[in-house]
Every structure is written in C-alpha cells, then in structure tokens.
Amino acid sequence: MQILSALAELLAPTAHAAFWDKYAQVFPIRDASISDIAGRFQTTFFTLIGGGAVLGIFYGALKLAMSMGEDEGRQNAKNAVIAAVFGIILAIIGPPFIRQIAAIVSGL
C-alpha cells in the first residue's frame, strides 16, 4: 500500500483542485448523498446498455444483409439481434428493479 501511495504522489503531486472544481460545476455532487450518486450511476449505466443494444440490433441487421443467404451468417446475425433484444429488456426492466431493491433495503 505504501508503494502505491508513493507512486500516486509521484504521478499526481497536487490535488488538481481546479480540475475538480470544473467537474463539480458540470456534475454537482458536493451536496449529493450516496443514493443520489448511485441513482446517477444507474441512469448512466442503463442508458449505455440500451444504446449498446440498439447498436447491436443495427449490427445484426447489417450482418444479416451481408450474409447473402449463408446459414452460418444468418444464425450469427440472429444471435446478435437476440442478444441486443435482451439488452433492451435489461435497460427497460433494470431501473425499476434496482429502485425496488433499494426501497426494500432502506426499509430494513
């Protein structure tokens, strides 16, 4: 741990307060609670999953068009689209599921 601390001091000898002030203006988290930060992370995470799933559908469609009737290419494209659909389902169902678990945990 001391080696890691010494390495961090060599690489970043200052706290870079100006950088963090600019970051805090764009993403104000100074007064945010852990649940607020977790909620922002959740929103970002599931948004990225949904966007990746939409891109996966486009990838599968392009792969299907380029397979030119080959059975293996069609199967690979079908698998890509199915995985993307599961990603979209996860992006839709994930946030309410996480909120429900958070409500259960906070009620304990």
Side-chain angles (χ1 to χ4, degrees), residues 63-87:
K63 197 167 180 101
L64 179 64
M66 292 177 61
S67 71
M68 295 188 286
E70 285 184 33
D71 289 336
E72 183 180 348
R74 284 186 17 225
Q75 186 62 36
N76 289 340
K78 180 181 171 184
N79 291 342
V81 170
I82 289 172
V85 168
F86 281 128

Side-chain angles (χ1 to χ4, degrees), residues 35-96:
S35 64
D36 292 338
I37 294 170
R40 290 178 189 175
F41 175 77
Q42 168 198 327
T43 301
T44 304
F45 180 71
F46 285 114
T47 301
L48 291 175
I49 287 177
V54 170
L55 290 175
I57 288 176
F58 285 128
Y59 172 75
L62 182 63
K63 197 167 180 101
L64 179 64
M66 292 177 61
S67 71
M68 295 188 286
E70 285 184 33
D71 289 336
E72 183 180 348
R74 284 186 17 225
Q75 186 62 36
N76 289 340
K78 180 181 171 184
N79 291 342
V81 170
I82 289 172
V85 168
F86 281 128
I88 289 175
I89 291 170
L90 176 65
I92 292 171
I93 293 176

